[in-house]
Amino acid sequence: LEKRTSRNLDLMVKLLEPLMLLVMAAVTLLLQSGFTALGINALAQAAAVDKQLIYYHFGGLDGVVRHLGAQVERWLAEGGF
């Protein structure tokens, strides 16, 4: 059971890693250069992933922005700031 759980965790990390890289890169771009710097190519380059992953995980740039907005909303609801 322990070995199986470890494999499942490894798989989960492998699947979530590109998603987390994209989110972190999007936040970094926004903080460093503002909203105008956030584009598919810039985001893919900053996250060091293929831009098709952005479309796969988020459906495009609008999906990235919606995801970030939902994360901020959740954070504020939990008492952020």
Side-chain angles (χ1 to χ4, degrees), residues 4-81:
R4 184 172 160 199
T5 303
S6 177
R7 267 186 287 156
N8 288 344
L9 287 174
D10 289 344
L11 178 60
M12 200 178 328
V13 167
K14 186 176 181 178
L15 292 172
L16 289 176
E17 185 178 21
L19 177 63
M20 296 309 299
L21 287 172
L22 286 167
V23 170
M24 291 186 312
V27 169
T28 300
L29 284 171
L30 286 170
L31 291 175
Q32 288 179 345
S33 305
F35 189 76
T36 57
L38 188 60
I40 294 291
N41 291 328
L43 181 54
Q45 183 178 3
V49 299
D50 189 288
K51 64 183 176 182
Q52 290 303 315
L53 282 174
I54 298 168
Y55 293 104
Y56 176 78
H57 284 292
F58 299 105
L61 193 56
D62 288 345
V64 173
V65 173
R66 279 193 301 275
H67 179 81
L68 292 175
Q71 291 296 99
V72 169
E73 205 172 276
R74 190 173 309 124
W75 179 67
L76 289 173
E78 293 172 357
F81 279 126

